[in-house]
Amino acid sequence: MNPSTTTLARLAALAAIAVAATGCGAVKPVQAWERGALAKPEMLIEGDLLEARYNEHIYASKEAASGGGGVGGGGCGCN
């Protein structure tokens, strides 16, 4: 690389950092009237509770062990 290419790459990296930093500054806290919409059950990451339990059952069946979803041990009795 010649010096002008290195300088150009540094300027491009600096410009990308500046653009990213200004984007982070635009984030604002959630207002009180918006929290009600975010607290609805539809907004959960895992979605439906029944579907989550079903997926956990399928996972446990495929792994041939029960548990292991949040506690030590995999259901084999070797805690």
Side-chain angles (χ1 to χ4, degrees), residues 2 5 7-9 13 16 23 26 28-30 33 35 37 40-41 52-54 56 58-59 61-62 64 74 76 78:
N2 61 26
T5 306
T7 305
L8 185 60
K28 59 182 182 175
V30 178
W33 60 86
R35 291 183 187 149
K40 291 183 179 179
R53 294 186 85 182
Y54 175 73
E56 185 177 335
I58 295 297
Y59 178 76
S61 297
K62 287 183 178 181
C76 61
C78 58

Side-chain angles (χ1 to χ4, degrees), residues 1 11 15 17 22 24-25 28 30-32 42 44 46-47 55 62 69 75:
M1 289 183 133
L11 285 175
I17 290 171
T22 57
C24 293
K28 59 182 182 175
V30 178
Q31 299 297 322
E42 301 90 39
L44 289 174
E46 60 190 26
N55 288 336
K62 287 183 178 181

Side-chain angles (χ1 to χ4, degrees), residues 9 30 42-43 47 57 63 66:
V30 178
E42 301 90 39
M43 298 297 287
H57 172 72
E63 292 294 320
S66 62

